[in-house]
């Protein structure tokens, strides 16, 4: 009897396991969007074009993966976008006006970012206020700080001149440089993005911490009852999004050698959208880091594909929104189909 | 059952997109008879990439200028804009990937665009910069810069104000830290021959602008001239002058429908027009000439599109042209 | 006695939730805690589980007086609690839930293969037939979920199993299934504290019965000393029920 049962489990198990994976919907969306643009624009599918749309996918993807982890853990971070600006501003300001080396300035930026992540986490876990509200507050404060401090120190709304700072060459090569593949330049950020996604996936699926993340997102009380350190897990997740924001902020600052005080504002919802496309539930407890990475690719493809197709710039935002809705619907569709099969 | 409508929607999106693509696309799918690599309709393709998003009334005129030139010469002109220098840089990268015949770019943040423009130049794609970033234009390898030198325009305004008898001028700066605005005031200072005082206001709060200017006019009766650097600020300043009953003369930079009416009514002395239509039209002209005849314009120096002055004499005609979207 | 309370009491603000309650459970025995809603049953088990701290009286484990600082503390001493809402994460798979909080590791990693294997084996050992340990716990029936929770507690070396109203939300057949697992656990040498408001569920499987009413003990009986009817009557407050029956009779 046991043998027969095992065989039965093996069959259904594999098929079912493949279909109920949260990423599957995102993969379908990815294929649809790619075929859509690639079939109409030869540049889009050329190596050059791929390098073009993988670039925004990478910087968006690093954030989307971190935000996805946090969403699986049941919380939101609306301050992640503006934190990329804060990190970049700290880096460029210290390195150009206070004589810090690029590496030292980056370190200070990291410490500040992690401190903000820690603060977010502590406030959310101690006060039990919704993280949406708490991080909205952080978002607004950082927005004001970014602008106010920049104006106070430089008199303008941006800081620039990073090229002259010591240590720039090395830091630029490692975080903002390019690598040549098949005669085309690909941004190094893509490698960082792949690394972040791989680590996040491993943590989610193959570590204790990952189990705890799913648990506190699915049912925090139940998790606490079996001894999961819920508060510590959430705080760690907020610090993860902060770390990702520092990484992306530094990459962008090094690449463009200047930072405008208002960068990152408005991006926070895009990270969440990418995570949702990737299968994350808004209520937490379910999702995938790879899915969020794929969501970021879909976004990058749509963003750049619209330009490649030469669509009228005035209609840009409309088409982008429609494309995203379709991708998310496709995601939903596939999940529902998968769940039907199960029963 | 539920799947069918979604699948239909997806197919529909595919179909619709095929229809709405620009003319160049459908030409490519024409029968094999026109087997030439590029369709005869578009002999070259130029990309205009600015730092303003869609729907900005100032930049719409630039866009109209570029597209008019495109029609005139029978070339393809695409217009993209994004206030985020990172995104603008990526748009330039894309244009390079598409191997366009020329790129027109406005550099509000030259540092951020340096690498992308460098790549374009390295790929032998000619670049013309417009509107902002004149100082970095040559260094980045652009053929020329088409725009208005804020210094020159400021001087021109100063001269006109001096001729109107202004001795103490209030220069209203509506965006803190904007170097270009400061240059305008400095330029005016050079030629006015009197004193220039700067007043900081916030363009996003026009009611506040009016009250600040009113307060200034009432407290300092010596001020007999106000120079606004933005059309919306100009209207707010006009209201302030009316409210305070001051005899001060008003002039502004850049046009709007309200400003032109005010000039006709004599409320505003003149407007300094940077003629942004030319910032769209001329670069396409220059790039087209470069493509066909390897001409470079400017001799390494910028081409000034301003200052042009709109006064009571030509306000009527300019108003009509503004309605057509060319001024 | 593995777990024992002597005259235990708990106050929340001005409310006396529990006073002077004495009970205990031995290895291989089932002690049923009965009482109507609001009798203080959940307060009692929260104290036993380490969620609350008692304000009066003493709590003893193996004859030694203790004070639990946290649920983790109680868990470490072998006191496992299965809550009514089951402390299960519906979206997570059976094997993930099984090992939540006590994940086996292989170096830095969560030993996923071992977790799957052990979960499947343990469930089978308890006589639970769950086809696929990968399915989300939310897709299991109420009885199946309870059984997973019980199997989990047994596996992690619980010496005392506290079950908070495991049958209250179940139909008759499912309830019977759970009672069977309770008996199984008892037979494996655990002490079971079975909280319920249904004397018909308690009686078949219980060895000792504690009755609570309004936070105080109405009595503690062995199986030999009491019948189901007596149990029911005591629980409802026999006299009150009589009065109620009078009122409800037709005129």
């Amino acid at each position: 009897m046991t043998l027969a049962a095992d065989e039965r489990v093996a069959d259904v198990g594999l098929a079912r396991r493949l279909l109920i994976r949260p990423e599957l919907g995102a993969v379908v969306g990815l294929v649809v969007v790619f075929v859509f643009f690639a079939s109409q624009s030869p540049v889009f599918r050329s190596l050059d074009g791929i390098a073009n749309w993988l670039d925004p996918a990478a910087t968006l993807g690093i954030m989307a993966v971190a935000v996805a982890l946090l969403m699986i853990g049941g919380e939101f971070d609306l301050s992640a976008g503006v934190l990329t600006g804060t990190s970049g501003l700290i880096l460029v300001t210290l390195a150009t006006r206070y004589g810090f080396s690029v590496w030292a300035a980056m370190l200070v930026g990291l410490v500040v970012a992690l401190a903000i992540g820690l603060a977010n986490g502590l406030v959310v876990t101690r006060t039990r206020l919704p993280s949406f509200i708490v991080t909205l507050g952080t978002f607004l404060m950082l927005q004001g700080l970014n602008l106010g401090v920049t104006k106070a120190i430089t008199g303008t709304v941006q800081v620039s001149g990073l090229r002259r700072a010591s240590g720039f060459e090395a830091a630029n090569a490692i975080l903002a440089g390019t690598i040549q593949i098949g005669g085309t330049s690909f941004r190094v950020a893509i490698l960082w993005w792949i690394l972040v996604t791989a680590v996040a996936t491993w943590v989610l699926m193959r570590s204790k911490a990952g189990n705890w993340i799913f648990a506190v997102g699915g049912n925090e009380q139940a998790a606490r009852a079996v001894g999961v350190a819920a508060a510590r897990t959430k705080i760690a997740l907020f610090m993860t999004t902060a770390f990702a924001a520092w990484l992306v902020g530094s990459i962008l600052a090094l690449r463009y050698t200047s930072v405008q005080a208002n960068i990152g504002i408005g991006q926070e919802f895009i990270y969440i959208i990418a995570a949702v496309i990737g299968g994350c539930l808004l209520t937490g407890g379910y999702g995938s880091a790879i899915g969020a990475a794929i969501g970021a690719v879909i976004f990058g493809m749509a963003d750049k594909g619209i330009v490649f197709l030469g669509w009228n710039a005035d209609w840009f935002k409309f088409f982008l929104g429609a494309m995203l809705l379709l991708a998310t619907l496709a995601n939903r569709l596939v999940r529902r189909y998968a769940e039907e099969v199960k029963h | 059952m539920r799947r069918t409508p979604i699948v239909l929607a997806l197919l529909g999106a595919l179909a619709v997109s095929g229809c709405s693509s620009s003319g160049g696309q459908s030409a490519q799918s024409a029968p094999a008879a026109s087997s030439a690599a590029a369709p005869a309709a578009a002999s070259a393709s130029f990309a205009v990439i600015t730092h303003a998003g869609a729907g900005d009334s100032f930049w719409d005129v630039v866009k109209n200028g570029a597209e008019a030139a495109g029609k005139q010469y029978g070339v393809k002109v695409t217009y993209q804009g994004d206030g985020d220098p990172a995104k603008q840089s990526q748009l330039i990268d894309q244009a390079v990937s598409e191997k366009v015949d020329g790129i027109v770019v406005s550099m509000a943040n030259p540092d951020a665009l340096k690498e992308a423009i460098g790549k374009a130049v390295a790929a032998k794609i000619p670049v013309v910069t417009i509107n902002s970033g004149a100082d970095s234009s040559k260094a980045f390898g652009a053929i020329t810069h088409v725009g208005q030198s804020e210094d020159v325009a400021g001087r021109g305004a100063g001269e006109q104000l001096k001729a109107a008898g202004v001795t103490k001028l209030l220069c209203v700066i509506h965006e803190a830290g904007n170097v270009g605005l400061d240059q305008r005031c400095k330029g005016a200072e050079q030629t006015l021959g009197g004193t220039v005082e700067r007043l900081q206001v916030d363009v996003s709060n026009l009611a506040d602008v009016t009250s600040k200017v009113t307060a200034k006019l009432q407290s300092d009766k010596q001020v007999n001239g106000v120079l606004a650097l933005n059309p919306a600020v100009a209207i707010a300043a006009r209201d302030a002058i009316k409210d305070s009953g001051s005899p001060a003369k008003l002039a502004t930079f850049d046009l709007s429908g309200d400003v032109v009416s005010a000039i006709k009514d004599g409320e505003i002395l003149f407007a300094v027009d940077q003629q942004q239509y030319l910032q769209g039209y001329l670069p396409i002209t220059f790039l087209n000439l470069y493509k066909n005849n390897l001409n470079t314009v400017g001799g390494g120096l910028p081409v000034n599109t301003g200052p042009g002055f709109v006064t009571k004499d030509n306000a009527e005609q300019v108003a009509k042209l503004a309605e057509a979207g060319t001024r | 006695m593995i777990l024992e309370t002597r005259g235990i009491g708990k106050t929340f603000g001005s409310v006396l939730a529990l006073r002077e309650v004495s009970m205990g459970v031995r290895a291989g025995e089932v002690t049923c805690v009965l009482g109507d809603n609001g009798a203080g049953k959940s307060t009692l088990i929260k104290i036993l589980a380490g969620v609350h701290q008692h304000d009066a009286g003493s709590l003893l484990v193996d004859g030694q007086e203790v004070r639990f600082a946290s649920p983790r503390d109680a868990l470490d001493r072998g006191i496992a609690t299965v809550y009514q809402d089951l402390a299960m994460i519906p979206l997570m798979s059976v094997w993930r839930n099984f090992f939540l909080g006590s994940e086996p590791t292989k170096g830095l990693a969560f030993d996923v293969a071992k977790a799957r294997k052990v979960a499947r084996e343990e469930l089978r050992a308890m006589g639970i037939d769950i086809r696929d340990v990968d399915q989300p716990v939310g897709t299991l029936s109420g009885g199946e979920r309870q059984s997973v929770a019980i199997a989990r507690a047994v596996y992690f070396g619980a010496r005392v199993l506290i079950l908070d109203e495991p049958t209250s939300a179940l139909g008759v057949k499912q309830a019977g299934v759970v009672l069977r697992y309770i008996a199984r656990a008892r037979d494996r040498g655990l002490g079971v504290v079975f909280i319920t408001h249904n004397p018909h569920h308690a009686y078949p499987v219980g060895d000792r019965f504690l009755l609570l009413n309004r936070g105080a003990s109405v009595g503690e009986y062995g199986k030999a000393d009491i019948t189901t009817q007596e149990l029911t009557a005591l629980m409802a407050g026999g006299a009150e029920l009589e009065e109620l029956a009078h009122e409800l009779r037709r005129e």
Side-chain angles (χ1 to χ4, degrees), chain A residues 202-220:
Chain A
W202 184 87
V203 166
L204 263 187
M205 307 303 286
R206 287 281 178 277
S207 80
K208 274 175 87 146
N211 214 28
W212 292 12
I213 294 175
F214 281 113
V216 301
N219 185 342
E220 190 180 336

Side-chain angles (χ1 to χ4, degrees), chain B residues 157-183:
Chain B
E159 279 167 8
Q160 296 264 346
L161 286 166
K162 183 175 180 184
V166 172
T167 49
K168 186 158 184 193
L169 179 69
L170 195 65
C171 197
V172 183
I173 299 195
H174 60 272
E175 202 179 284
N178 185 324
V179 174
L181 297 180
D182 203 56
Q183 283 175 325

Side-chain angles (χ1 to χ4, degrees), chain B:
Chain B
M1 218 54 181
R2 273 167 289 175
R3 282 173 245 153
T4 356
I6 308 247
V7 172
L8 283 176
L10 286 171
L11 288 173
L14 265 162
V16 165
S17 78
C19 298
S20 65
S21 303
S22 57
Q25 233 70 353
S26 42
Q28 277 166 22
S29 56
S34 55
S35 55
S43 56
S45 143
F46 301 111
V48 179
I49 300 169
T50 69
H51 65 270
D56 182 312
S57 56
F58 176 91
W59 288 95
D60 271 347
V61 177
V62 176
K63 182 178 170 195
N64 291 341
E67 284 174 350
K71 267 204 204 78
Q72 171 115 7
Y73 303 122
V75 297
K76 177 173 168 199
V77 171
T78 58
Y79 180 93
Q80 303 280 356
D82 200 308
D84 182 355
K87 292 228 174 73
Q88 199 187 353
S89 166
Q90 284 175 343
L91 287 169
I92 297 175
D93 282 339
Q94 275 186 284
V96 173
S97 298
E98 285 175 330
K99 301 203 181 18
V100 295
D101 296 296
I103 297 178
V104 180
V105 59
S106 70
M107 307 196 293
N109 186 338
D111 273 342
L113 304 179
K114 179 173 177 167
E115 199 180 326
I117 293 178
K119 268 201 242 165
V121 171
K124 303 268 193 283
I125 297 177
V127 175
V128 171
T129 57
I130 61 171
N131 184 270
S132 354
D135 298 330
S136 312
S137 176
K138 191 166 178 191
F140 285 5
I143 298 178
T144 184
H145 177 82
V146 177
Q148 174 180 264
S149 157
E150 306 294 20
D151 180 55
V152 169
R155 284 172 191 265
E159 279 167 8
Q160 296 264 346
L161 286 166
K162 183 175 180 184
V166 172
T167 49
K168 186 158 184 193
L169 179 69
L170 195 65
C171 197
V172 183
I173 299 195
H174 60 272
E175 202 179 284
N178 185 324
V179 174
L181 297 180
D182 203 56
Q183 283 175 325
R184 291 176 180 175
C185 290
K186 269 214 197 90
E189 215 168 353
Q190 309 282 356
T191 52
L192 184 67
T195 30
V196 171
E197 204 177 302
R198 285 166 176 63
L199 179 66
Q200 285 280 2
V201 297
D202 183 5
V203 69
S204 56
N205 187 351
L206 290 172
D208 190 50
V209 174
T210 307
S211 52
K212 274 211 173 80
V213 176
T214 309
K216 198 70 191 140
L217 290 171
Q218 284 172 337
S219 59
D220 188 351
K221 300 290 187 193
Q222 297 223 315
V223 172
N224 53 10
V226 177
L227 180 60
L229 306 176
N230 168 289
V233 175
I235 299 302
R238 180 209 52 196
D239 294 339
I241 292 178
K242 267 216 203 102
D243 288 345
S244 64
S246 163
K249 302 224 168 43
L250 175 63
T252 181
F253 273 69
D254 299 330
L255 291 177
S256 74
D258 287 335
V259 165
V260 174
S261 310
I263 294 177
K264 278 198 276 187
D265 296 339
E267 290 169 326
I268 297 184
L269 201 58
F270 65 83
V272 177
D273 185 12
Q274 65 174 288
Q275 300 181 98
Q276 68 265 35
Y277 185 82
L278 296 174
Q279 292 174 15
Y281 193 94
L282 291 178
I284 302 297
T285 309
F286 298 164
L287 287 171
N288 201 37
L289 284 167
Y290 182 91
K291 177 163 186 2
N292 296 328
N293 212 25
L294 272 184
N295 288 122
T296 57
V297 180
L301 290 174
V303 173
N304 286 330
T305 60
F309 293 99
V310 178
T311 62
K312 204 159 179 181
D313 298 331
N314 55 11
E316 188 73 51
Q317 291 135 296
V318 171
K320 289 207 191 76
L321 295 166
E323 250 163 77
T326 57
R327 283 302 291 264

